[in-house]
Amino acid sequence: MSKNSAFKGLSWLLLLLAVATLMGCERYRPLPNCISLSHEGIGPGWSVDEASGTAKHLESGLVWYRCLAGERFDVDQCTGFPMMLNLEDAMDYAKSVAESSGKPWRLPTLKEMQTLRQTHCQNPAVNKALFPSATSSNHWTSSVSRNGPSFGCATNTFNGNGYCREASREVLPFFLVTESP
Protein backbone atom coordinates (compact mmCIF):
# COMPACT_ATOMS: atom_id res chain seq x y z
CA MET A 1 0.00 0.00 0.00
CA SER A 2 1.46 3.35 -1.00
CA LYS A 3 1.77 6.34 1.29
CA ASN A 4 -0.60 8.26 -0.97
CA SER A 5 -3.42 5.69 -0.75
CA ALA A 6 -2.95 5.36 3.03
CA PHE A 7 -3.17 9.15 3.31
CA LYS A 8 -6.39 9.17 1.22
CA GLY A 9 -7.89 6.44 3.38
CA LEU A 10 -7.03 8.34 6.56
CA SER A 11 -8.39 11.57 5.05
CA TRP A 12 -11.71 9.89 4.24
CA LEU A 13 -11.89 8.44 7.74
CA LEU A 14 -11.26 11.84 9.34
CA LEU A 15 -13.83 13.47 7.05
CA LEU A 16 -16.39 10.81 7.96
CA LEU A 17 -15.72 11.30 11.68
CA ALA A 18 -16.03 15.09 11.34
CA VAL A 19 -19.39 14.80 9.53
CA ALA A 20 -20.71 12.29 12.09
CA THR A 21 -19.62 14.56 14.94
CA LEU A 22 -21.23 17.63 13.42
CA MET A 23 -24.47 15.77 12.75
CA GLY A 24 -24.52 14.48 16.31
CA CYS A 25 -24.13 17.96 17.77
CA GLU A 26 -27.58 18.87 16.49
CA ARG A 27 -29.17 16.33 18.87
CA TYR A 28 -27.60 17.88 21.95
CA ARG A 29 -28.59 21.48 21.45
CA PRO A 30 -29.54 22.85 24.88
CA LEU A 31 -33.22 23.54 25.41
CA PRO A 32 -34.38 26.94 26.66
CA ASN A 33 -35.29 27.41 30.29
CA CYS A 34 -39.06 26.93 30.81
CA ILE A 35 -39.15 29.79 33.30
CA SER A 36 -38.29 32.22 30.50
CA LEU A 37 -41.30 30.89 28.54
CA SER A 38 -43.88 31.22 31.34
CA HIS A 39 -45.22 34.41 29.74
CA GLU A 40 -46.75 32.17 27.05
CA GLY A 41 -49.56 31.26 29.46
CA ILE A 42 -51.24 27.98 30.20
CA GLY A 43 -51.18 26.78 26.61
CA PRO A 44 -53.58 24.46 24.77
CA GLY A 45 -54.85 21.24 26.26
CA TRP A 46 -55.53 22.59 29.74
CA SER A 47 -58.41 24.26 31.57
CA VAL A 48 -57.91 26.05 34.84
CA ASP A 49 -60.21 26.51 37.84
CA GLU A 50 -58.72 29.45 39.71
CA ALA A 51 -61.09 29.09 42.66
CA SER A 52 -60.01 25.52 43.45
CA GLY A 53 -56.38 25.96 42.37
CA THR A 54 -56.63 23.09 39.92
CA ALA A 55 -55.75 22.50 36.29
CA LYS A 56 -57.42 19.86 34.14
CA HIS A 57 -55.44 18.08 31.44
CA LEU A 58 -58.13 17.82 28.78
CA GLU A 59 -56.78 14.78 26.94
CA SER A 60 -56.32 12.56 29.99
CA GLY A 61 -59.07 14.02 32.19
CA LEU A 62 -56.61 14.30 35.08
CA VAL A 63 -57.13 17.16 37.52
CA TRP A 64 -53.92 18.45 39.11
CA TYR A 65 -53.54 20.62 42.17
CA ARG A 66 -51.41 23.48 40.82
CA CYS A 67 -49.09 23.69 43.83
CA LEU A 68 -46.89 21.08 45.43
CA ALA A 69 -48.45 19.19 48.33
CA GLY A 70 -48.35 21.35 51.45
CA GLU A 71 -48.63 24.63 49.55
CA ARG A 72 -51.76 26.69 48.98
CA PHE A 73 -52.82 28.24 45.65
CA ASP A 74 -53.63 31.94 45.94
CA VAL A 75 -54.06 34.29 42.94
CA ASP A 76 -51.71 32.64 40.43
CA GLN A 77 -49.07 31.74 42.99
CA CYS A 78 -48.31 29.12 45.59
CA THR A 79 -47.83 30.14 49.19
CA GLY A 80 -46.37 28.21 52.09
CA PHE A 81 -43.83 25.46 51.83
CA PRO A 82 -43.95 22.15 49.99
CA MET A 83 -44.09 18.96 52.00
CA MET A 84 -40.81 17.05 51.82
CA LEU A 85 -41.65 13.48 52.77
CA ASN A 86 -40.38 9.96 52.24
CA LEU A 87 -42.48 7.81 49.90
CA GLU A 88 -44.60 6.09 52.56
CA ASP A 89 -45.40 9.38 54.31
CA ALA A 90 -46.20 11.06 50.97
CA MET A 91 -48.70 8.30 50.15
CA ASP A 92 -50.24 8.62 53.64
CA TYR A 93 -50.46 12.42 53.25
CA ALA A 94 -52.33 12.02 49.94
CA LYS A 95 -54.76 9.59 51.61
CA SER A 96 -55.42 12.05 54.44
CA VAL A 97 -56.06 14.89 51.96
CA ALA A 98 -58.48 12.61 50.09
CA GLU A 99 -60.33 11.71 53.29
CA SER A 100 -60.59 15.28 54.55
CA SER A 101 -61.60 16.77 51.16
CA GLY A 102 -63.92 14.01 50.00
CA LYS A 103 -62.05 13.89 46.66
CA PRO A 104 -59.80 10.97 45.71
CA TRP A 105 -56.49 12.89 45.68
CA ARG A 106 -53.39 10.73 45.25
CA LEU A 107 -49.82 10.80 43.99
CA PRO A 108 -49.56 10.63 40.19
CA THR A 109 -48.02 7.69 38.36
CA LEU A 110 -44.86 8.05 36.25
CA LYS A 111 -47.04 8.01 33.13
CA GLU A 112 -49.34 10.69 34.51
CA MET A 113 -46.36 12.93 35.35
CA GLN A 114 -45.61 12.94 31.63
CA THR A 115 -48.75 15.04 31.06
CA LEU A 116 -46.91 17.87 32.85
CA ARG A 117 -43.76 17.51 30.75
CA GLN A 118 -42.80 20.35 28.44
CA THR A 119 -40.66 18.87 25.66
CA HIS A 120 -39.54 22.21 24.19
CA CYS A 121 -37.85 23.51 27.36
CA GLN A 122 -36.32 22.40 30.65
CA ASN A 123 -35.28 23.52 34.14
CA PRO A 124 -38.03 22.73 35.05
CA ALA A 125 -39.72 20.97 32.13
CA VAL A 126 -43.08 22.02 33.57
CA ASN A 127 -45.34 24.91 32.55
CA LYS A 128 -44.68 27.52 35.24
CA ALA A 129 -47.86 29.41 34.33
CA LEU A 130 -49.84 26.30 35.33
CA PHE A 131 -47.63 25.10 38.18
CA PRO A 132 -46.04 28.25 39.61
CA SER A 133 -44.00 26.60 42.37
CA ALA A 134 -42.56 23.79 40.22
CA THR A 135 -38.82 23.50 40.63
CA SER A 136 -36.17 21.30 39.07
CA SER A 137 -36.03 18.38 41.46
CA ASN A 138 -37.13 14.79 41.91
CA HIS A 139 -40.83 14.32 42.73
CA TRP A 140 -42.46 11.19 44.12
CA THR A 141 -44.93 9.17 42.07
CA SER A 142 -47.16 6.28 43.09
CA SER A 143 -45.63 3.90 40.54
CA VAL A 144 -44.13 0.78 42.08
CA SER A 145 -40.43 0.11 41.59
CA ARG A 146 -39.36 -3.34 40.39
CA ASN A 147 -36.21 -2.83 42.44
CA GLY A 148 -37.95 -3.78 45.68
CA PRO A 149 -39.65 -1.90 48.53
CA SER A 150 -36.50 0.06 49.38
CA PHE A 151 -36.95 2.02 46.15
CA GLY A 152 -39.65 4.22 44.69
CA CYS A 153 -40.34 5.86 41.35
CA ALA A 154 -39.80 9.56 40.86
CA THR A 155 -39.79 12.12 38.05
CA ASN A 156 -36.99 14.61 37.69
CA THR A 157 -38.73 17.81 36.65
CA PHE A 158 -35.51 19.32 35.27
CA ASN A 159 -36.12 17.36 32.07
CA GLY A 160 -39.21 15.26 32.85
CA ASN A 161 -37.44 11.90 32.97
CA GLY A 162 -38.82 9.26 35.28
CA TYR A 163 -36.94 6.47 37.02
CA CYS A 164 -37.54 3.85 39.71
CA ARG A 165 -34.30 3.80 41.67
CA GLU A 166 -34.97 6.51 44.26
CA ALA A 167 -34.44 5.29 47.81
CA SER A 168 -37.92 5.33 49.36
CA ARG A 169 -36.52 6.86 52.56
CA GLU A 170 -35.48 10.04 50.69
CA VAL A 171 -37.61 13.11 51.33
CA LEU A 172 -38.99 14.64 48.14
CA PRO A 173 -41.78 17.01 47.11
CA PHE A 174 -44.81 15.67 45.22
CA PHE A 175 -47.88 16.72 43.29
CA LEU A 176 -51.45 15.60 43.91
CA VAL A 177 -53.80 14.47 41.17
CA THR A 178 -57.34 13.15 40.87
CA GLU A 179 -59.63 11.97 38.09
CA SER A 180 -62.10 14.35 36.50
CA PRO A 181 -65.59 13.87 38.02
Side-chain angles (χ1 to χ4, degrees):
M1 179 183 241
S2 71
K3 269 188 167 180
N4 195 21
S5 64
F7 179 74
K8 281 185 180 179
L10 182 60
S11 296
W12 277 108
L13 179 62
L14 290 174
L15 179 63
L16 183 62
L17 285 172
V19 169
T21 300
L22 291 175
M23 288 175 62
C25 289
E26 194 66 24
R27 292 183 309 197
Y28 300 107
R29 184 179 309 161
L31 294 172
N33 188 311
C34 288
I35 294 171
S36 66
L37 302 176
S38 62
H39 65 278
E40 295 178 0
I42 65 167
W46 290 90
S47 72
V48 172
D49 181 348
E50 295 290 336
S52 67
T54 59
K56 181 179 179 181
H57 185 254
L58 300 175
E59 184 178 330
S60 66
L62 293 171
V63 177
W64 293 83
Y65 189 64
R66 295 177 63 189
C67 298
L68 293 168
E71 295 177 318
R72 183 173 190 80
F73 186 79
D74 185 27
V75 191
D76 289 333
Q77 66 181 355
C78 298
T79 59
F81 299 97
M83 302 288 291
M84 300 289 288
L85 300 174
N86 65 40
L87 181 56
E88 183 180 355
D89 290 345
M91 299 286 263
D92 288 344
Y93 178 83
K95 285 178 190 172
S96 71
V97 169
E99 289 170 4
S100 66
S101 70
K103 293 182 181 179
W105 290 105
R106 59 182 174 74
L107 270 66
T109 65
L110 278 172
K111 183 178 179 182
E112 290 168 340
M113 282 294 288
Q114 292 304 300
T115 63
L116 303 185
R117 186 178 194 176
Q118 301 286 293
T119 57
H120 62 284
C121 59
Q122 62 187 12
N123 193 22
V126 174
N127 184 330
K128 292 286 285 182
L130 277 171
F131 301 95
S133 68
T135 59
S136 292
S137 62
N138 297 332
H139 291 69
W140 283 126
T141 73
S142 62
S143 295
V144 177
S145 174
R146 290 189 221 167
N147 297 303
S150 296
F151 296 96
C153 298
T155 296
N156 183 321
T157 52
F158 176 84
N159 55 16
N161 290 339
Y163 62 97
C164 293
R165 296 210 49 124
E166 184 73 56
S168 58
R169 70 181 180 285
E170 292 295 322
V171 292
L172 302 177
F174 53 98
F175 287 99
L176 294 174
V177 67
T178 190
E179 306 292 328
S180 182

